[in-house]
Amino acid sequence: MEPKLKPLEVVAISVLLALWRLPNQANAEPQVPCYFIFGDSLSDNGNNNHLKTLAKVNYPPYGIDFPQGPTGRFSNGRNMQDFIVERLGFEDYVPPFAKLRGKNVSNGVNYASGSAGILDETGKILGVRIPLNRQIKNHKTIISTIMRLLRNHLATNLLLSQCIYSVQIGSNDYLNNYFTPEFYNTSQRYTPAEFATMLVQQLSRQLKTLYDNGARKFAVYGIGGIGCTPYIISAIGPDDSGCVDKFNEGATLFNDRLKPLVNQLNKNLTGAKFTYLNPSGNPAGLVINGTCCEMGGGGGELCLPNSTPCGKPRRYVFWDGVHPAEAWNKIVAESAYSSKSPAEASPYNIQQLAKE
Ligand SMILES: *[C@@H]1O[C@H](CO)[C@@H](O)[C@H](O)[C@H]1NC(C)=O
Ligand SMILES: *[C@@H]1O[C@H](CO)[C@@H](O)[C@H](O)[C@H]1NC(C)=O
Ligand SMILES: *[C@@H]1O[C@H](CO)[C@@H](O)[C@H](O)[C@H]1NC(C)=O
Ligand SMILES: *[C@@H]1O[C@H](CO)[C@@H](O)[C@H](O)[C@H]1NC(C)=O
């Protein structure tokens, strides 16, 4: 029979273990040396702040639950990528490309830009944004900087091959392009299925460009339930499902093509590890049918500047009309990081991708 520890002894031992581990953890290496982020407002952490656009959020009440206040994150607190970066063991969040001064770019850069899309013209009605093609160009300039830092081609290529490249984009190609026929003609030129095929073909070329620039570990995200966001429901009116079905059908057509693309790229590109993520979570206990802040900023979907938000952001899925609150970001980040469900992470979750 094993000797049983008394509760107090257990507490004492856990405290000792925690104290012993703390200094080590602070110095611990992250699971990958670097993390590069491409995407839209779901990942943007300040790149739009100085652009002429309605799609920026460097004002209260954004950031009320973030230590530095409003940073340009489209949330009350951390976004999903912040949580993943924490889980990977980085000491700091990944700095935005727009303000790199003095930062060590070798640990990663965030290129994401609110309202940006796979297509260059996506989001143009809201103003200036950094489309995925431009984000990839910005990444090439960072590679030159890393090359200068390391002064060695082999070392640079080795580093780049070990980083994780997060690519979460496509929502705006629907919200701020295909389903905004007042301003864009894509819905006249393409059926929803054709549009999804065209988007995924374009994304495929963009991912291959990153591969050609040394990327090997890719975390590629599907599009979430854009038809269930409070702004879209209030602007268009819900179907029987409670959501706007055609938006979700668009997202599904996109995801149905993205998943097999990831499998093909894994077969075709030597040494590459792509994974498809469509993290989900259980909103039980959270408010899903309303926003924590008062809508009316940006193009109508963002928080009204300086408005007073709800008292308990922690209880909300949606912070503003289209962006999740920190509580939900944490849930989906955990799913992307560690889910064993192939519907949410296939063939790898982020934790596995880091080890591959
Ligand atoms: C930047 O980070 C890289 C990789 O983590 C490291 O090798 C290098 O010494 C760092 N450079 C500076 C200037 O901090
Ligand atoms: C659609 O709009 C683009 C500009 O966004 C324009 O170049 C093109 O000619 C238009 N096509 C049609 C069929 O209207
Ligand atoms: C992968 O290779 C196959 C066979 O050459 C080709 O048919 C397919 O288009 C390629 N897919 C991608 C995404 O490159
Ligand atoms: C949201 O749903 C809850 C529970 O179903 C309901 O009590 C509440 O009135 C709804 N709020 C809105 C704004 O529709």
Side-chain angles (χ1 to χ4, degrees):
M1 204 179 136
E2 291 194 82
K4 278 228 168 98
L5 291 175
K6 297 193 192 80
L8 252 182
E9 287 176 292
V10 173
V11 170
I13 288 172
S14 339
V15 169
L16 270 175
L17 275 177
L19 285 174
W20 177 67
R21 275 186 2 216
L22 263 179
N24 280 342
Q25 272 179 346
N27 295 327
E29 293 287 315
Q31 294 172 45
V32 286
C34 31
Y35 194 81
F36 292 102
I37 301 171
F38 301 81
D40 54 28
S41 55
L42 293 172
S43 310
D44 189 351
N45 64 352
N47 287 311
N48 277 18
N49 290 355
H50 298 291
L51 299 184
K52 210 174 164 210
T53 174
L54 291 172
K56 61 178 167 186
V57 293
N58 51 344
Y59 60 83
Y62 286 94
I64 52 161
D65 295 316
F66 198 79
Q68 284 83 41
T71 54
R73 286 170 170 80
F74 290 69
S75 170
N76 56 307
R78 289 162 283 184
N79 62 33
M80 178 171 71
Q81 295 306 329
D82 290 327
F83 282 109
I84 291 173
V85 163
E86 279 181 14
R87 289 293 258 132
L88 285 168
F90 286 92
E91 276 183 40
D92 284 321
Y93 300 124
V94 177
F97 179 78
K99 38 177 182 181
L100 283 175
R101 249 169 293 274
K103 304 270 185 200
N104 189 345
V105 295
S106 318
N107 301 123
V109 175
N110 185 336
Y111 307 98
S113 168
S115 82
I118 292 167
L119 305 179
D120 288 343
E121 65 271 23
T122 287
K124 69 168 185 239
I125 291 308
L126 297 170
V128 181
R129 69 267 164 239
I130 310 163
L132 184 54
N133 283 330
R134 180 73 217 184
Q135 294 180 29
I136 293 169
K137 285 207 178 94
N138 290 343
H139 180 58
K140 289 184 191 171
T141 71
I142 292 299
I143 292 177
S144 316
T145 308
I146 295 176
M147 192 86 86
R148 278 200 303 276
L149 264 172
L150 302 184
R151 294 188 200 159
N152 181 314
H153 262 274
L154 270 177
T156 302
N157 287 341
L158 181 64
L159 179 73
L160 293 174
S161 73
Q162 293 170 336
C163 311
I164 289 181
Y165 297 74
S166 171
V167 182
Q168 182 173 33
I169 199 156
S171 297
N172 288 309
D173 295 292
Y174 288 95
L175 296 171
N176 286 305
N177 188 331
Y178 195 75
F179 290 128
T180 318
E182 311 87 278
F183 301 114
Y184 301 90
N185 59 22
T186 43
S187 58
Q188 290 153 35
R189 286 153 56 206
Y190 302 97
T191 65
E194 287 165 354
F195 186 65
T197 299
M198 187 270 283
L199 280 183
V200 170
Q201 281 170 351
Q202 170 76 0
L203 182 57
S204 171
R205 286 189 287 272
Q206 291 159 330
L207 293 170
K208 283 178 184 166
T209 303
L210 286 176
Y211 175 87
D212 291 338
N213 283 277
R216 292 297 178 269
K217 297 184 179 201
F218 294 85
V220 186
Y221 289 81
I223 301 179
I226 47 179
C228 299
T229 53
Y231 177 72
I232 294 302
I233 292 173
S234 71
I236 309 224
D239 294 309
D240 291 342
S241 62
C243 299
V244 183
D245 295 339
K246 69 174 182 181
F247 281 62
N248 287 342
E249 283 155 15
T252 301
L253 288 168
F254 177 86
N255 295 345
D256 286 349
R257 286 159 179 72
L258 183 56
K259 216 171 164 172
L261 172 71
V262 160
N263 294 332
Q264 280 186 32
L265 293 173
N266 272 331
K267 287 204 189 89
N268 291 15
L269 302 182
T270 311
K273 310 281 179 199
F274 282 82
T275 195
Y276 169 83
L277 299 160
N278 203 354
S280 66
N282 184 354
L286 299 177
V287 178
I288 56 168
N289 60 348
T291 66
C292 176
C293 78
E294 192 184 334
M295 285 190 276
E301 76 287 21
L302 302 180
C303 302
L304 207 54
N306 300 310
S307 57
T308 306
C310 69
K312 292 185 176 149
R314 269 166 205 280
R315 296 206 24 227
Y316 280 74
V317 166
F318 290 102
W319 164 245
D320 65 18
V322 285
H323 301 108
E326 184 184 64
W328 185 249
N329 287 333
K330 182 173 186 181
I331 293 173
V332 287
E334 194 51 45
S335 166
Y337 183 76
S338 60
S339 176
K340 302 253 176 346
S341 154
E344 293 172 3
S346 169
Y348 318 108
N349 58 40
I350 303 267
Q351 189 176 25
Q352 293 163 335
L353 182 67
K355 293 202 180 91
E356 275 293 320

